[in-house]
Amino acid sequence: MNPIVKKEVKIIIDKRLKKILEENYEKLIIGSGTITDYLLSNCQFKKIDMASGLAEEKAMELKGIRIKYLKEISDKKFTRYKYIIFAAIGYKDILLNNLDFKFKEKIIFLKKIIVNNELRILIENL
């Protein structure tokens, strides 16, 4: 038998990103997967809405936040957000091709780096 070896992975969130998540401004996180779960589990988040590009995730909840279907968010609703945090790492091109250009300056793209036993979630741009 081969024993299963488990490694503890330390989650480190970029200080600038953590500050944004904890600010008292309306924010939208696009993506409701593990990166979003890590973000919300490691900060005192405020005023966050969440959206997914997957219709099957509509109305599900993550950390007490009801997930919206991205295609149902109107342009008018996008204007209320100071930041749009794109946590679906690897799908940047799809978002850029499907989002109205006027909102692109609000988007914060994330990247992840794994070093030793640390998963670092960083801001790719800002």
Side-chain angles (χ1 to χ4, degrees):
M1 287 183 61
N2 294 330
I4 296 173
V5 178
K6 292 185 179 182
K7 284 187 175 182
E8 286 281 326
V9 176
K10 183 176 180 179
I11 308 297
I12 299 173
I13 299 174
D14 184 302
K15 289 178 185 178
R16 297 174 300 160
L17 177 58
K18 190 170 185 176
K19 182 180 176 195
I20 288 169
L21 292 167
E22 294 178 350
E23 284 181 355
N24 206 23
Y25 299 108
E26 298 282 337
K27 297 165 282 294
L28 174 67
I29 296 179
I30 298 175
S32 56
T34 55
I35 296 297
T36 299
D37 187 42
Y38 292 151
L39 292 174
L40 300 180
S41 296
N42 288 284
C43 73
Q44 300 295 316
F45 60 90
K46 296 178 189 167
K47 294 189 176 184
I48 291 190
D49 287 336
M50 193 179 319
S52 172
L54 303 174
E56 61 269 21
E57 291 181 343
K58 177 183 174 182
M60 295 177 78
E61 285 191 14
L62 179 64
K63 302 293 183 192
I65 301 169
R66 187 168 304 277
I67 300 168
K68 300 173 186 199
Y69 183 41
L70 185 60
K71 291 183 179 181
E72 294 178 351
I73 299 175
S74 67
D75 284 0
K76 186 176 181 181
K77 289 182 181 175
F78 270 116
T79 60
R80 69 186 259 205
Y81 299 112
K82 181 170 182 179
Y83 301 106
I84 300 170
I85 301 166
F86 194 68
I89 295 172
Y91 294 92
K92 180 178 179 178
D93 291 337
I94 293 170
L95 177 72
L96 289 174
N97 290 332
N98 291 292
L99 189 64
D100 191 316
F101 186 76
K102 64 186 170 189
F103 300 114
K104 291 182 181 177
E105 73 278 354
K106 294 182 172 198
I107 300 175
I108 297 172
F109 290 101
L110 304 180
K111 64 182 175 180
K112 66 180 179 180
I113 298 172
I114 301 171
V115 179
N116 298 323
N117 290 337
E118 295 180 347
L119 170 63
R120 295 179 179 268
I121 303 170
L122 308 169
I123 293 176
E124 185 175 304
N125 66 336
L126 187 59

